[in-house]
Amino acid sequence: MSTSAQAPVSMTWRKLPFMTMTVGSPSLNLGLGESNQSSSSISFSSAASAPSSSSSSSSSASSSDVMFYASDSGLVRAQMHAGDSDASSASDACGASSSVSFMAFDNSCSHICTSQPSNKWLVAAGRNDDNNAHSALKIWEVDRAASALSAVASTAETTTTMQAVRSIKIFASKAHEGAVTCLSVVEEEKASLLVALGCSSGAVVIIRGDLARNRFHRSVCLAPEPVTCVCVRAAGVAGDASAALYLATANRIAAASLGPANTAPASEVPLATLDDHGAAPNCLAIQPGTPHECALARDEGVFFYSMDGRGPCLAAEGEKRLLTRRGSLALIVGDQLAVPGGIAASSTPASVSSTPAAITVFDLSAKLIAYSGVLEGDFKHVLATSRGWLVVTSSGCFRLAERPLSDKLAVLERKNMHVVGLNIATAAGATASELSAFRRRWADHLYGKQDYEGAMAQYMCTVGHLEPSYVIRRYLDSSRTRHLAAYLEALHQASLAAPDHTTLLLNVYTKLRDLEKLDAFVAEDAQIAASALPLDERQEIYRGRFDVGTAVRVCRAAGYFEHAARVAGLAGEAGWKLEVLLDDLKAYDEALSYLHSLPRSASQSALMSHGKSLVTARPEATVALLERLCGAEGGAMSSSGPWSAAELPSDGDAAPGIAPSFATDDMGTMDANDGDAVVYAEPSAFLPILVDAPAALARFCSTLLRPREDGGMPADEAVLRHTLLELLLGPSAAAAFDAARNRMGGSSSAKNAHALALALLRDGWPQSEEPRFDAPRAVTLCRLRAFRDGALFLYERLGLLREALELHVEAGDADALVASVERLVRLGSGSMQLWEEVLEHLARMAGNIERRETVEHAVREVLVRIERAELLPPLVVLQALSRGAAACDDNGGGGGGGGGGGGLTLDVVRDYACRALEREARLAADDEAAAQQLLEEAESARVELESLRNEARVFQAARCSLTGQPLELPSVHFLCGHSFNARALGDGETECPLCAPASRAAREARAGLSGSSQQDKFFQQLQAASDGFAVVAEQFARALL
């Protein structure tokens, strides 16, 4: 993998004040021995510790920033600075401090650092004697160590002892022994650590595992010369499952893959050379997660590498002492650097030493110099914090902190470096609202320069954060209409458009006559259309793009009817689409095809609203659709999709000029049914849309009155029968008859509308069953329409034969009248008065000379029936005929024309009258004979009564008349001649047991005669009184009624 050297890239780097250096304590006493100790023998590390045990009991106790210093004496000093490590000034972070020392090694401590990224472990490398073979690695838990050290510092002690969690021998082989020159520690899964130690022998010792529990593996990488720098990256960072190691010597840089975490590596890991140029100590840094994570600082520039090889380089000439990275920032300490665009370090310190060190910070993502300056005193080390770095020199501790993002962006905006500012804000993780505010200011700047297109590009990125009216007001000018359309499109794509925005966008399209944009706006997304999503989900997604009602309204107002229909169809708004097809496009066939493609419920609802216009324009096809919805002719609609052209009943051609794509390009074919079970529509719901088309309505009703395929009938069958009956009896009876006669089962032989209506009634009310319609309503309709046959049928079924007689009388049908009376009497519903009324009606009908012969024949038949059954007295018969003849004379002969007196002649009743007189004469003779016999009996009774009053009566009976036993004393004798033993009679018996019934009957008859006289008197009083109710009340009060 070794490659030749690459020349540094020449690029102009602008210097902007993105970082600030603040000064802490003017003198930092390391306290590590002699004051002339060289900086090369000191190592530094820092960590933010937990609250010390000596802090106050407040729950908000702040943490401390702890800096660890190591020296060749093996002593480690912990410098604890009160306050947050992110303090705004260096004096806050470095000024108020306390220090405690503890002996880490007996001989020397060469390197010390904390584990990255959480600073949980403090790791130190050193020796307990002068022999490198006894080099050891010790670890401490930072939080516990800081707490213990803080407790010691609170007692004013300056030294203590600190027991390491684990001490590990570094070298496992004598061949690899040497002085430790560099150290790198990172944290892996759980408590695992990855430690790499570079040695002067050219070996890199790798210790990996849970060091605290003494569970680790040791491996080694061998370089041909002493190692100056080493960096490691944990496994699983930046999507790489394998850990990585980078090392540098004086003449080369190499890398090695260490494999995934918790795996046992080989004892010797092979190295791959990345470049043939090395680096000085502290000049190798790594920033995981960046494209080229490893950076190497040399005098001619900074070079970047990854595991795959060499990457770009940065031209920055000058001696480098240290390189460290933090995010997109790279800090270099060394001489003043010569970079394209000028000298990086230009600020002058308060007092410059003989060998000043310059510090330069590059923002690699923004290609800027964030800070440059000269340090005071001898440079010692740089420690990373959460907001920057702590720079340690012999003059004190300095904080190098990033300025807030808002300050950076303000600087870039003043210099019109908006692209750089946007990159910096994005890399810094700015919130969406912050980015939107920056883009708005950028867009306002471009708008002020009349760069309307560039400004709109930025305004479009603020959608969802900036009020749309702010942008829309600026682009209402006609010359900026296309830019306004682009912004409104972005609003709709983000589903943030209000109805007014949709209206404005469509108005812009129509004003620009941009049909391509309009087509694209109303079209469904191609990916969604090709997906397997259910239809309702696709429609919901489409409706979420914009306000469908507004879009349809605007397209119709602008004359883009096809687009309006397509929008409504894709959104599943059947009502709106039909309104456009029928009212605007007059595309009736397309509307019918669309209705066939809808589910039953949707098709029914749409027809309820728009069916009238379809019935007017395409009656046959519309009725066929209605019949299918109601389950006629095979039941459910086909589930294979819309009907083909051959299946659709056609009443004419489609409207000219209609693009088929807009009529049929919907969301796809819908199933005919909403579910597994077919739910038929109620036919009565469709009657209002057919009311103006009698023929279509008659066809619809007659079709649905036939049984469905499943044998069922509509729930509102009665409504259909009444509707069809009214059509057949109404003014449009001829059209209704032609439409319905071939569709009603068993009724095709009907010759006219009335015959078909009678068949309809008979079919709806079979014998011995309940009617399937409202019979009283049907009677009313038949009487209003003078449909005599239907009314007679209904009267007969209802048992209203007296009403049927009235119909015969009105029609003058004598034979039917007589037949009806006979049927009525036969059924037991007639009375004697009924025959009297019949005779009177027949006498009236005889006034019509055309019907006189028929009437006379009917009268003779009635008289024969009356005489045979003795139904009426002859006088009553003659009086009824007389009243009818008188009424006929009053009406001018019954309206029949013809002379002869205009009524019945005596010849019709002569025979009946003669027979009646003869019968009355016989009855009179019989009555006279019976009266004579009664007189004789009365005279005999009178003579006997007189004898009883004046003559003695001898009782000679020897036996009891009741029991037949011989009479014994005591005995009882009655005047009637009967004798009884006293024991045979009951107590208190005063009447003869044998004659008592006849006597009692006589008394009752006498009492009845007396009551009849009272009743006659009552009726006479009632007839003569002016207030009949008063007479009745008086009789009740006297208990006479």
Side-chain angles (χ1 to χ4, degrees):
M1 193 178 296
S2 176
T3 58
S4 59
Q6 178 181 3
V9 177
S10 178
M11 180 182 300
T12 301
W13 291 72
R14 300 189 64 174
K15 180 181 177 183
L16 295 176
F18 280 180
M19 303 191 75
T20 58
M21 176 77 80
T22 53
V23 181
S25 59
S27 176
L28 180 64
N29 182 14
L30 300 179
L32 299 176
E34 298 179 359
S35 61
N36 59 355
Q37 188 176 17
S38 65
S39 62
S40 60
S41 63
I42 304 175
S43 294
F44 301 85
S45 184
S46 68
S49 69
S52 65
S53 60
S54 61
S55 60
S56 66
S57 62
S58 173
S59 61
S60 61
S62 61
S63 61
S64 299
D65 197 37
V66 183
M67 300 177 63
F68 297 96
Y69 309 90
S71 68
D72 289 343
S73 63
L75 190 65
V76 173
R77 177 174 293 275
Q79 190 89 15
M80 288 159 288
H81 306 278
D84 189 10
S85 61
D86 292 333
S88 58
S89 66
S91 60
D92 294 336
C94 303
S97 64
S98 59
S99 63
V100 178
S101 300
F102 66 91
M103 185 61 67
F105 297 92
D106 295 338
N107 186 274
S108 65
C109 181
S110 58
H111 294 81
I112 187 171
C113 67
T114 54
S115 60
Q116 298 300 317
S118 67
N119 295 324
K120 180 179 181 181
W121 301 98
L122 177 66
V123 182
R127 299 193 307 267
N128 290 319
D129 55 29
D130 294 334
N131 190 350
N132 288 330
H134 296 160
S135 297
L137 185 73
K138 291 187 179 183
I139 62 174
W140 294 265
E141 193 170 356
V142 171
D143 290 343
R144 292 183 179 179
S147 299
L149 294 172
S150 297
V152 173
S154 64
T155 61
E157 295 290 335
T158 58
T159 60
T160 186
T161 58
M162 185 69 61
Q163 182 66 36
V165 174
R166 184 68 58 189
S167 179
I168 302 172
K169 184 179 180 181
I170 295 177
F171 300 109
S173 174
K174 190 173 181 63
H176 303 149
E177 293 178 359
V180 177
T181 58
C182 49
L183 172 64
S184 179
V185 182
V186 294
E187 301 168 7
E188 290 191 306
E189 296 179 358
K190 299 180 180 178
S192 179
L193 293 177
L194 175 59
V195 181
L197 301 103
C199 304
S200 59
S201 62
V204 176
V205 178
I206 303 168
I207 302 175
R208 190 178 190 182
D210 189 349
L211 276 63
R213 298 184 179 182
N214 204 27
R215 299 173 183 174
F216 59 87
H217 303 281
R218 183 186 284 106
S219 57
V220 66
C221 293
L222 298 177
E225 53 188 343
V227 178
T228 58
C229 306
V230 66
C231 292
V232 289
R233 171 177 49 80
V237 178
D240 193 346
S242 178
L245 178 142
Y246 295 90
L247 64 87
T249 66
N251 298 308
R252 71 182 63 204
I253 179 173
S257 177
L258 304 181
N262 298 325
T263 58
S267 59
E268 183 174 342
V269 180
L271 288 173
T273 301
L274 300 178
D275 203 344
D276 292 333
H277 295 272
N282 298 323
C283 289
L284 185 70
I286 188 171
Q287 181 60 47
T290 57
H292 298 87
E293 57 187 1
C294 184
L296 180 70
R298 295 201 297 268
D299 292 347
E300 60 271 26
V302 179
F303 299 83
F304 297 89
Y305 301 89
S306 67
M307 293 296 293
D308 298 329
R310 187 176 55 215
C313 55
L314 167 64
E317 296 184 1
E319 181 183 359
K320 315 294 191 304
R321 303 184 190 178
L322 179 140
L323 170 66
T324 183
R325 297 183 65 180
R326 179 179 172 274
S328 63
L329 302 178
L331 182 146
I332 300 176
V333 178
D335 295 339
Q336 294 184 359
L337 301 181
V339 297
I343 302 300
S346 57
S347 60
T348 304
S351 60
V352 181
S353 63
S354 58
T355 58
I359 183 169
T360 306
V361 180
F362 293 91
D363 191 329
L364 301 177
S365 62
K367 302 298 187 291
L368 296 172
I369 298 177
Y371 178 81
S372 64
V374 179
L375 297 175
E376 295 182 2
D378 295 335
F379 169 73
K380 300 298 182 182
H381 204 72
V382 173
L383 302 175
T385 65
S386 59
R387 286 188 55 193
W389 289 279
L390 289 177
V391 182
V392 182
T393 68
S394 59
S395 299
C397 178
F398 303 88
R399 175 174 293 280
L400 185 60
E402 288 189 74
R403 298 180 65 179
L405 179 62
S406 58
D407 294 350
K408 295 181 182 180
L409 296 180
V411 171
L412 293 171
E413 288 177 23
R414 288 196 298 269
K415 295 182 177 295
N416 295 331
M417 299 175 65
H418 295 90
V419 176
V420 177
L422 181 61
N423 294 336
I424 289 177
T426 304
T431 63
S433 59
E434 292 174 341
L435 290 175
S436 176
F438 178 78
R439 287 183 180 273
R440 180 191 61 79
R441 295 192 296 269
W442 186 4
D444 291 344
H445 170 74
L446 295 175
Y447 187 88
K449 295 171 61 177
Q450 297 185 355
D451 183 3
Y452 302 122
E453 185 172 356
M456 179 52 70
Q458 299 307 315
Y459 281 134
M460 289 171 62
C461 295
T462 65
V463 170
H465 301 280
L466 181 62
E467 175 61 36
S469 60
Y470 179 86
V471 181
I472 293 174
R473 285 197 301 267
R474 294 185 164 215
Y475 284 86
L476 289 177
D477 188 83
S478 59
S479 61
R480 307 166 197 167
T481 305
R482 292 193 178 276
H483 300 129
L484 178 59
Y487 182 76
L488 293 172
E489 288 171 0
L491 280 177
H492 283 83
Q493 290 174 1
S495 300
L496 297 173
D500 291 341
H501 299 148
T502 303
T503 303
L504 182 58
L505 177 58
L506 293 175
N507 286 330
V508 169
Y509 284 152
T510 56
K511 181 179 180 181
L512 296 174
R513 295 292 174 184
D514 194 343
L515 291 181
E516 183 178 354
K517 284 287 188 69
L518 186 57
D519 292 344
F521 179 78
V522 303
E524 185 185 13
D525 184 81
Q527 293 183 353
I528 297 177
S531 66
L533 289 175
L535 180 62
D536 55 348
E537 293 187 16
R538 290 166 54 193
Q539 291 175 345
E540 186 66 28
I541 293 173
Y542 187 82
R543 288 193 293 267
R545 291 172 50 189
F546 50 81
D547 187 85
V548 176
T550 301
V552 173
R553 176 177 53 80
V554 174
C555 289
R556 293 182 69 185
Y560 291 91
F561 304 126
E562 296 88 351
H563 294 81
R566 189 172 189 184
V567 169
L570 292 172
E573 299 293 346
W576 291 341
K577 178 165 183 175
L578 286 174
E579 188 174 340
V580 175
L581 291 175
L582 298 176
D583 298 345
D584 300 329
L585 297 175
K586 308 300 180 184
Y588 302 109
D589 293 331
E590 305 295 346
L592 283 169
S593 178
Y594 176 65
L595 285 171
H596 276 282
S597 71
L598 295 176
R600 283 181 169 271
S601 59
S603 182
Q604 177 183 355
S605 177
L607 280 169
M608 292 292 295
S609 303
H610 305 88
K612 277 196 173 183
S613 56
L614 278 174
V615 170
T616 303
R618 301 289 186 272
E620 293 293 329
T622 306
V623 170
L625 175 59
L626 295 177
E627 292 170 354
R628 285 292 184 93
L629 288 174
C630 295
E633 296 187 359
M637 297 165 58
S638 171
S639 61
S640 60
W643 292 348
S644 63
E647 293 174 303
L648 280 172
S650 177
D651 298 285
D653 297 330
I658 304 303
S661 61
F662 290 101
T664 59
D665 186 12
D666 291 315
M667 299 293 287
T669 299
M670 301 182 184
D671 291 335
N673 302 328
D674 295 326
D676 296 332
V678 178
V679 179
Y680 298 115
E682 294 296 335
S684 59
F686 298 127
L687 298 183
I689 68 177
L690 296 168
V691 70
D692 296 331
L697 180 57
R699 171 190 165 176
F700 176 72
C701 294
S702 58
T703 300
L704 291 175
L705 285 175
R706 294 184 299 181
R708 291 195 300 253
E709 191 177 59
D710 57 3
M713 293 292 289
D716 46 6
E717 178 186 358
V719 178
L720 295 176
R721 290 188 180 275
H722 286 299
T723 303
L724 184 56
L725 180 63
E726 188 168 358
L727 289 172
L728 292 172
L729 301 179
S732 304
F737 172 69
D738 293 337
R741 63 178 174 178
N742 294 327
R743 289 184 172 266
M744 289 183 60
S747 303
S748 60
S749 60
K751 302 302 182 182
N752 52 48
H754 279 195
L756 190 61
L758 183 58
L760 177 66
L761 292 174
R762 293 183 183 278
D763 179 68
W765 196 346
Q767 190 71 30
S768 303
E769 293 185 13
E770 292 294 325
R772 297 199 290 266
F773 53 86
D774 188 354
R777 179 180 173 185
V779 169
T780 303
L781 181 60
C782 291
R783 294 300 302 271
L784 288 176
R785 301 296 186 184
F787 182 33
R788 177 170 168 264
D789 293 341
L792 288 173
F793 170 77
L794 293 172
Y795 282 147
E796 181 180 350
R797 285 285 194 268
L798 291 170
L800 303 175
L801 297 183
R802 187 176 293 275
E803 285 75 4
L805 294 180
E806 294 178 1
L807 284 179
H808 292 310
V809 172
E810 292 174 1
D813 192 345
D815 294 336
L817 177 62
V818 174
S820 297
V821 173
E822 288 182 350
R823 187 183 306 112
L824 184 62
V825 172
R826 187 168 57 250
L827 295 174
S829 301
S831 63
M832 298 304 101
Q833 188 180 0
L834 185 61
W835 288 105
E836 184 179 354
E837 294 174 1
V838 169
L839 289 173
E840 187 174 347
H841 289 314
L842 288 174
R844 289 175 183 171
M845 287 189 292
N848 190 339
I849 194 170
E850 297 177 355
R851 301 182 297 193
R852 180 172 300 175
E853 183 177 353
T854 303
V855 173
E856 290 177 351
H857 176 72
V859 171
R860 290 188 180 96
E861 289 186 357
V862 172
L863 292 176
V864 170
R865 289 177 174 82
I866 292 175
E867 182 182 7
R868 185 182 302 159
E870 297 181 357
L871 300 176
L872 292 174
L875 183 60
V876 174
V877 171
L878 295 177
Q879 288 176 347
L881 291 174
S882 178
R883 286 194 301 272
C888 179
D889 293 338
D890 294 341
N891 294 332
L904 290 173
T905 62
L906 184 60
D907 184 60
V908 177
V909 297
R910 180 184 293 114
D911 295 339
Y912 172 75
C914 292
R915 291 191 301 272
L917 291 174
E918 292 175 356
R919 185 172 61 255
E920 290 295 331
R922 288 194 301 269
L923 293 175
D926 294 340
D927 289 341
E928 289 180 358
Q932 185 62 35
Q933 182 180 356
L934 290 174
L935 289 174
E936 293 175 355
E937 292 177 356
E939 182 63 22
S940 175
R942 187 183 61 78
V943 171
E944 184 179 0
L945 178 62
E946 186 65 25
S947 174
L948 291 173
R949 288 177 178 174
N950 300 318
E951 299 177 3
R953 188 71 177 260
V954 178
F955 299 99
Q956 296 178 351
R959 292 185 176 274
C960 178
S961 299
L962 186 63
T963 62
Q965 298 293 330
L967 288 175
E968 297 177 357
L969 293 177
S971 61
V972 179
H973 303 275
F974 291 95
L975 293 178
C976 62
H978 296 113
S979 300
F980 303 92
N981 288 321
R983 63 178 180 271
L985 296 177
D987 295 338
E989 186 72 40
T990 60
E991 290 184 337
C992 176
L994 298 179
C995 298
S999 178
R1000 191 180 300 114
R1003 288 197 301 271
E1004 290 177 356
R1006 185 176 180 180
L1009 292 174
S1010 176
S1012 298
S1013 62
Q1014 292 290 336
Q1015 291 180 1
D1016 294 340
K1017 183 178 179 181
F1018 167 74
F1019 284 114
Q1020 290 174 3
Q1021 291 178 356
L1022 186 64
Q1023 186 174 6
S1026 59
D1027 187 0
F1029 285 104
V1031 175
V1032 173
E1034 181 183 359
Q1035 296 297 322
F1036 271 108
R1038 295 168 57 185
L1040 295 178
L1041 291 181

